Amino acid sequence: QVAAASGHTVVLVDQSDEILKKSTKGIEESLKRVTKKKFADKPEAGAEFIEKTLKNLSTSTDAVAVVHSTDLVIEAIVENQEIKNELFKRLDKFAPEHTIFASNTSSLQITQLANSTTRQDRFGGLHFFNPVPMMKLVEVIKTPMTSQKTFESLVDFSKAVGKSPVSCKDTPGFIVNRLLVPYMMEAVRLFERGDASKEDIDVAMKLGAGYPMGPFELLDYVGLDTSKYIIDGWHSLEPNNPLFAPSPLLNKLVQEKKLGKKTGEGFYKYK
């Protein structure tokens, strides 16, 4: 959406036409919300903006077929190393030589993904934040093999889609999640020890630290399964790091399929 809205030609690829229809509808709804704010007193300009943006966007279920004419591939599929590697390996065979590959992963190593291709110098991380149309930040990740030219192209692209890029080495969680995930886990441990209620911890962090959501609200929003997946991955990389220690309570909730907002219950219940 943000790439199409900033004048880029975008092909959205997914597994089925059904998913793509749903995605396109979601983008249309999101664009309507954006135009309500952006063009509040100019409805014609708003309608034109939506029409122009959607013209820049097409869809496909065949990544190999569309990669031939692509300058930049941004992958945002399931957080699974093998599946991502498989996709990149396949696209690497068919993409033009100049094409840059980027992953939107939040927890996997970019270097490991780049190693599945023959274009390690044209591979980096572009980590956008949810919801992307609202959040200004993009973390641009440079691996030891990423060329300066590729890095600069990724920074320029981030600016071209209206975002503020920050740069980070290929280290677990990059900047934001490396600080945020241990903070959320520390909140769970505080609650597990019985030192404070989850409600009071949430209120304290919102009013005392100015956070828009408390850690338990945020965990439910992100998804407890996603949070567990990240912490488990980091724990296997650094088993002696106390910041990455798993939480019995989080594990229990995930086992009970209480994954947060998306399932109607996590640390809190949702109607």
Side-chain angles (χ1 to χ4, degrees):
Q1 181 188 322
V2 295
S6 53
H8 296 82
T9 307
V10 182
V11 185
L12 177 64
V13 179
D14 218 314
Q15 289 173 309
S16 70
D17 288 322
E18 200 183 342
I19 296 170
L20 287 165
K21 274 194 191 100
K22 206 175 154 192
S23 302
T24 310
K25 198 169 182 297
I27 288 171
E28 279 182 52
E29 294 302 318
S30 178
L31 284 168
K32 280 176 193 162
R33 287 196 295 275
V34 170
T35 47
K36 259 187 192 158
K37 282 183 190 167
K38 206 172 168 184
F39 302 97
D41 46 357
K42 295 184 222 155
E44 288 101 23
E48 196 185 322
F49 169 73
I50 292 177
E51 194 190 336
K52 235 170 141 177
T53 301
L54 292 174
K55 262 197 184 132
N56 289 333
L57 186 71
S58 58
T59 61
S60 173
T61 53
D62 187 353
V64 163
V66 298
V67 82
H68 292 290
S69 54
T70 304
D71 297 314
L72 173 65
V73 172
I74 302 176
E75 165 277 317
I77 65 171
V78 64
E79 278 290 80
N80 177 301
Q81 181 90 49
E82 281 170 37
I83 298 172
K84 284 185 193 289
N85 281 352
E86 201 47 55
L87 175 70
F88 280 126
K89 205 173 177 175
R90 205 167 82 236
L91 294 184
D92 188 42
K93 290 191 183 97
F94 297 95
E97 202 171 308
H98 74 275
T99 306
I100 293 173
F101 283 7
S103 176
N104 180 53
T105 181
S106 56
S107 65
L108 298 171
Q109 274 196 307
I110 302 294
T111 306
Q112 300 280 14
L113 299 172
N115 283 341
S116 65
T117 72
T118 57
R119 61 185 76 218
Q120 286 101 329
D121 57 326
R122 284 150 290 153
F123 203 115
L126 273 183
H127 182 223
F128 289 82
F129 286 78
N130 256 333
V132 180
M134 310 300 294
M135 301 289 271
K136 292 291 285 180
L137 186 68
V138 176
E139 290 175 328
V140 182
I141 314 307
K142 191 179 185 206
T143 77
M145 297 98 72
T146 309
S147 72
Q148 189 58 25
K149 190 182 169 199
T150 297
F151 173 71
E152 283 165 14
S153 297
L154 292 174
V155 168
D156 290 344
F157 173 75
S158 304
K159 288 177 182 168
V161 297
K163 302 299 174 199
S164 301
V166 293
S167 168
C168 185
K169 285 183 180 172
D170 190 15
T171 175
F174 315 132
I175 298 173
V176 175
N177 282 330
R178 179 62 180 78
L179 297 173
L180 199 57
V181 174
Y183 148 76
M184 294 193 295
M185 294 302 292
E186 205 48 38
V188 177
R189 291 181 198 115
L190 190 69
F191 173 54
E192 276 177 322
R193 290 195 300 268
D195 295 343
S197 71
K198 54 183 187 286
E199 291 80 5
D200 282 354
I201 295 169
D202 277 354
V203 169
M205 291 313 291
K206 284 190 285 192
L207 303 186
Y211 283 24
M213 282 187 216
F216 293 97
E217 292 171 315
L218 188 54
L219 279 158
D220 278 356
Y221 177 75
V222 168
L224 305 192
D225 50 342
T226 306
S227 307
K228 173 179 156 51
Y229 177 83
I230 293 171
I231 211 72
D232 286 351
W234 293 358
H235 180 63
S236 66
L237 284 177
E238 294 182 34
N240 298 323
N241 189 334
L243 291 174
F244 300 160
S247 148
L249 176 58
L250 184 65
N251 290 349
K252 180 174 175 283
L253 288 169
V254 171
Q255 205 176 351
E256 291 168 357
K257 300 274 187 284
K258 294 173 183 171
L259 308 179
K261 267 193 149 165
K262 60 185 169 189
T263 57
E265 187 178 349
F267 283 103
Y268 296 114
K269 282 189 173 149
Y270 302 88
K271 278 178 185 163

